[in-house]
Amino acid sequence: MAATGSTAPVRLFSPARAKLFSSRHAFLIDVDRSKPELKFRTQSLKPEPWSNTKRGDSVKLNMINEEDSRVDETYNSVEDKQFVRWFREAWPYLWAHRGSTFVVIISGEIVASPFLDAVLKDIAFLHHLGIRFVIVPGTHVQIDKLLAGRGHEPKYVGRYRITDSESLAAAMEAAGGIRLLIEAKLSPGPSICNIRRHGDSSRLHDVGVSVASGNFLAAKRKGVVEGVDYGATGEVKKVDVDRMRERLDGDCIVILSNLGYSSSGEVLNCNTYEVATACALAIGADKLICIIDGPILDENGRHINFLPLEEADMLIRQRAKQSETAAKYVKAVGERDLTCFGHNDSTAAAPSSQNGKAFSSTHSPIFQNGLGFDNGNGLWSGEQGFAIGGQERLSRQNGYLSELAAAAFVCRGGVQRVHLLNGTIGGVLLLELFKRDGMGTMVASDLYEGTRMAKVTDLAGIKQIIQPLEESGTLVRRSDEELLRAIDSFIVMEREGQIIACAALFPFFKDKCGEVACIAVSPECRGQGQGDKMLDYVEKKASFLGLDMLFLLTTRTADWFVRRGFRECSIEMIPEKRREKINPSRKSKYYMKKLLPDRSGITFLSYF
């Protein structure tokens, strides 16, 4: 096994900053103590021992819980029961992902390795489940290998390759060969032995997946920059979104090559990540997935499961003096404070934003395919995508910081989820998409946005949200004094200085359970999933506190909670200390939910 590269530590958290840090569905509330430093380490193509451990095998969803099922089912074997259980638990994810568009970068290292077969097999499987894929394969490994075989040295300046005539010939050969390879590996259908018993033989000899490729990428020469002639190296000019969508609508997987075509008919060699990030922004992808050749680890060798966009942005900025890629990121997105940006294609007239609601911020640059941000004026002027590469990436002197910068760039442009996956792990794509805590590192712009523990100064905002619900009888009335005494148990979601949602968690440590109360969302933000985010945050906080169960009292919102895994229970299930304070005249219904253990592997701190 190749030795793991060691890099200088990267500090993610400032020592005394109270800031949320979620692990996919969990949180971190900072206290006044030092935070562990993060560093990025490269791995060899051989999987590390930890990658073979069945991390999170016991993780299960509450959507369908066999133990809580009201109907006893009989199975022929334990294997049958496990199969049915896991298949049912995949249903929420199948429902959520169906019809989504994912742009997938397969790094050059994975393309050139035996791991490519498994990745493409899983992509074909997911394609047949209704997920739309655009695949952008990396070519630099094959190009460098071809050049070396012909006695030429690859030349890089910064993040870009200098594409002379020999390099262009190698790039064209590599791109063509990789496209044919991927088409071939996506062509086989499922095993005939497995499907013959179901009777329909009309499709037994069909091609497994229809694949489309073409001149979807318009490019322009990079030209001469600071005295360096980049030759036939291209920059993304525009992605032909309409024709790509036609292919996707026609049930094809699209292969988008890094070769672009100029208006004068030239073939130009573009940066793979620039192409993929520009495509994700232009097509409005639901996810950008980067399949790389190793995991992102902290200094203790533990896998980093989740990075909020704000934390990823800060991490990159801290390395701007050491990393050219990080410096280019800061230059591209600007020195100003992080805000969230929308995107649209060349025909859109109005900006979109997270949760389907436009922000009222004074400046929200909008990505337009072929123009960049703000119609090519001002911030991010002309930026179509984000290029990474060159000696910094090849040497891994900063680990996977380059990939993280590309992920943050795309998140800031409007793609809400970017996943960095270790392609040397078998089935990593399935594990990431169908396990609660995933298997890779997710960078997200909207998870738990602005969620934090409440402060005394939030009292007015909380009262404004819950007062209409109190007046309608949905929530029990609480005086200002009662709210003030309970303020430490409240959680709020803040957007642009305004409280838009709240919830409360009252733990009963002796009984190892907690009460969920006061989940409320401001009227203008309802229907955007904020209530689910608050409940999920409460559940993960309760799990972190060592609680096994959650309970609640409700008169009018039972259906909402039942849909989210709560089941009706008797008053005897409520802790005695809480029963003493129940007002029987409200005739509330009682509901409980069993909590699942958090398998994220991240250490959390809390005021509790």
Side-chain angles (χ1 to χ4, degrees):
M1 179 182 298
T4 300
S6 178
T7 62
V10 179
R11 184 178 295 277
L12 178 60
F13 299 100
S14 59
R17 196 181 87 247
K19 183 59 64 176
L20 172 71
F21 176 47
S22 305
S23 169
R24 187 63 53 101
H25 303 292
F27 58 90
L28 174 60
I29 299 172
D30 217 349
V31 294
D32 190 15
R33 65 179 71 178
S34 297
K35 303 301 184 296
E37 294 182 340
L38 291 182
K39 62 183 179 181
F40 291 82
R41 306 193 308 183
T42 181
Q43 304 288 335
S44 66
L45 282 177
K46 184 176 180 181
E48 291 296 325
W50 71 269
S51 67
N52 294 323
T53 61
K54 297 185 178 181
R55 176 178 172 270
D57 274 357
S58 61
V59 172
K60 300 178 177 65
L61 291 174
N62 265 332
M63 297 296 295
I64 299 176
N65 192 326
E66 296 284 349
E67 295 177 0
D68 295 336
S69 177
R70 298 179 183 180
V71 178
D72 292 332
E73 295 181 299
T74 302
Y75 297 89
N76 290 329
S77 66
V78 174
E79 289 79 10
D80 287 350
K81 181 177 180 179
Q82 185 180 26
F83 175 82
V84 171
R85 183 174 194 147
W86 280 96
F87 204 78
R88 287 173 175 170
E89 287 171 352
W91 170 74
Y93 301 107
L94 295 172
W95 178 82
H97 296 321
R98 185 173 180 82
S100 298
T101 300
F102 297 169
V103 175
V104 180
I105 304 172
I106 306 178
S107 72
E109 291 82 5
I110 295 297
V111 169
S113 76
F115 300 108
L116 178 65
D117 288 18
V119 170
L120 293 177
K121 185 178 294 185
D122 290 342
I123 287 177
F125 168 65
L126 294 171
H127 166 78
H128 287 299
L129 293 179
I131 300 175
R132 297 146 57 100
F133 283 98
V134 178
I135 299 175
V136 187
T139 60
H140 74 273
V141 173
Q142 285 86 343
I143 294 173
D144 289 351
K145 184 177 180 179
L146 288 170
L147 288 174
R150 296 166 184 174
H152 298 285
E153 287 288 332
K155 303 172 186 177
Y156 294 94
V157 174
R159 299 172 293 163
Y160 291 92
R161 179 190 298 274
I162 294 179
T163 309
D164 53 22
S165 58
E166 292 83 6
S167 298
L168 180 60
M172 294 170 65
E173 182 177 342
I178 290 170
R179 177 180 60 81
L180 292 173
L181 176 67
I182 293 175
E183 288 178 355
K185 292 184 181 299
L186 289 175
S187 293
S191 170
I192 292 178
C193 296
N194 293 340
I195 62 176
R196 183 184 289 130
R197 71 184 300 268
H198 295 287
D200 183 10
S201 60
S202 62
R203 299 177 60 196
L204 293 184
H205 302 290
D206 287 358
V207 171
V209 176
S210 295
V211 179
S213 59
N215 56 340
F216 299 127
L217 183 65
K220 59 183 179 181
R221 279 184 177 266
K222 186 170 178 63
V224 180
V225 181
E226 297 180 354
V228 177
D229 186 352
Y230 285 87
T233 296
E235 292 181 333
V236 175
K237 186 176 180 181
K238 187 175 182 179
V239 179
D240 195 338
V241 170
D242 292 337
R243 288 202 300 138
M244 289 178 64
R245 284 177 178 158
E246 287 177 3
R247 307 307 192 274
L248 294 171
D249 292 341
D251 200 31
C252 292
I253 288 179
V254 172
I255 300 177
L256 181 60
S257 168
N258 69 304
L259 294 182
Y261 304 90
S262 73
S263 56
S264 60
E266 294 179 296
V267 177
L268 299 176
N269 178 37
C270 299
N271 181 278
T272 299
Y273 269 81
E274 183 177 348
V275 171
T277 51
C279 175
L281 290 168
I283 207 167
D286 297 283
K287 294 180 185 291
L288 173 66
I289 299 174
C290 307
I291 300 179
I292 54 181
D293 63 334
I296 296 179
L297 309 176
D298 66 15
E299 62 174 356
N300 297 314
R302 293 176 304 198
H303 178 234
I304 302 171
N305 192 279
F306 172 73
L307 281 173
L309 172 58
E310 188 176 18
E311 302 291 353
D313 180 85
M314 181 183 65
L315 171 63
I316 298 163
R317 290 177 184 276
Q318 289 175 346
R319 298 301 293 267
K321 294 183 178 179
Q322 306 171 42
S323 164
E324 180 184 357
T325 302
K328 292 294 185 182
Y329 167 85
V330 174
K331 182 179 179 181
V333 303
E335 300 285 349
R336 58 186 296 157
D337 293 338
L338 186 149
T339 56
C340 297
F341 304 120
H343 75 271
N344 61 15
D345 59 29
S346 58
T347 61
S352 62
S353 66
Q354 295 175 28
N355 309 307
K357 182 176 177 67
F359 289 100
S360 60
S361 57
T362 57
H363 185 72
S364 295
I366 306 302
F367 179 84
Q368 290 193 317
N369 185 24
L371 295 175
F373 292 85
D374 273 4
N375 296 316
N377 301 312
L379 184 64
W380 296 19
S381 175
E383 292 287 346
Q384 293 295 307
F386 190 81
I388 70 172
Q391 291 301 325
E392 179 180 345
R393 180 180 181 275
L394 292 174
S395 67
R396 289 298 181 201
Q397 63 189 40
N398 288 302
Y400 290 99
L401 189 67
S402 295
E403 285 80 358
L404 185 64
F409 179 92
V410 170
C411 270
R412 292 189 63 153
V415 178
Q416 294 182 349
R417 301 283 196 281
V418 180
H419 302 256
L420 305 174
L421 308 184
N422 179 5
T424 68
I425 297 175
V428 66
L429 192 56
L430 302 181
L431 294 169
E432 177 71 6
L433 295 177
F434 294 100
K435 280 182 58 178
R436 186 188 67 171
D437 294 314
M439 184 57 74
T441 298
M442 181 172 75
V443 180
S445 62
D446 66 333
L447 200 63
Y448 300 134
E449 52 164 336
T451 306
R452 57 175 173 77
M453 297 306 295
K455 302 177 291 187
V456 174
T457 53
D458 299 321
L459 188 60
I462 294 173
K463 188 174 180 181
Q464 183 177 3
I465 293 176
I466 67 175
Q467 189 171 7
L469 298 174
E470 291 177 345
E471 293 173 352
S472 68
T474 303
L475 293 179
V476 65
R477 290 185 180 274
R478 290 174 171 82
S479 66
D480 289 354
E481 291 75 17
E482 288 175 320
L483 283 174
L484 189 60
R485 286 196 299 269
I487 196 68
D488 290 339
S489 297
F490 271 82
I491 300 160
V492 296
M493 183 178 292
E494 183 180 23
R495 181 189 290 172
E496 297 176 4
Q498 301 295 319
I499 303 300
I500 65 169
C502 68
L505 172 64
F506 300 101
F508 293 81
F509 291 108
K510 181 179 178 181
D511 300 278
K512 300 198 73 175
C513 64
E515 180 182 6
V516 182
C518 278
I519 294 185
V521 180
S522 62
E524 63 272 17
C525 296
R526 290 174 188 165
Q528 302 172 14
Q530 312 302 348
D532 282 297
K533 292 179 183 179
M534 296 302 294
L535 178 59
D536 194 63
Y537 189 95
V538 167
E539 289 180 6
K540 295 306 173 287
K541 183 171 181 64
S543 180
F544 169 70
L545 294 175
L547 308 182
D548 295 330
M549 304 282 289
L550 287 178
F551 70 89
L552 59 90
L553 285 68
T554 183
T555 56
R556 302 180 62 181
T557 59
D559 289 347
W560 192 88
F561 286 102
V562 169
R563 180 86 187 273
R564 286 146 182 87
F566 284 81
R567 294 186 180 274
E568 190 171 1
C569 66
S570 66
I571 191 172
E572 287 75 20
M573 298 291 289
I574 307 300
E576 182 179 358
K577 187 176 179 180
R578 178 65 179 91
R579 291 204 303 265
E580 296 172 354
K581 299 180 180 180
I582 292 177
N583 179 4
S585 65
R586 281 183 58 84
K587 297 184 179 180
S588 299
K589 301 291 184 180
Y590 312 108
Y591 289 82
M592 298 198 78
K593 179 177 181 178
K594 183 178 180 181
L595 293 173
L596 299 173
D598 185 0
R599 304 292 185 183
S600 63
I602 305 295
T603 302
F604 306 109
L605 304 174
S606 174
Y607 286 124
F608 277 81

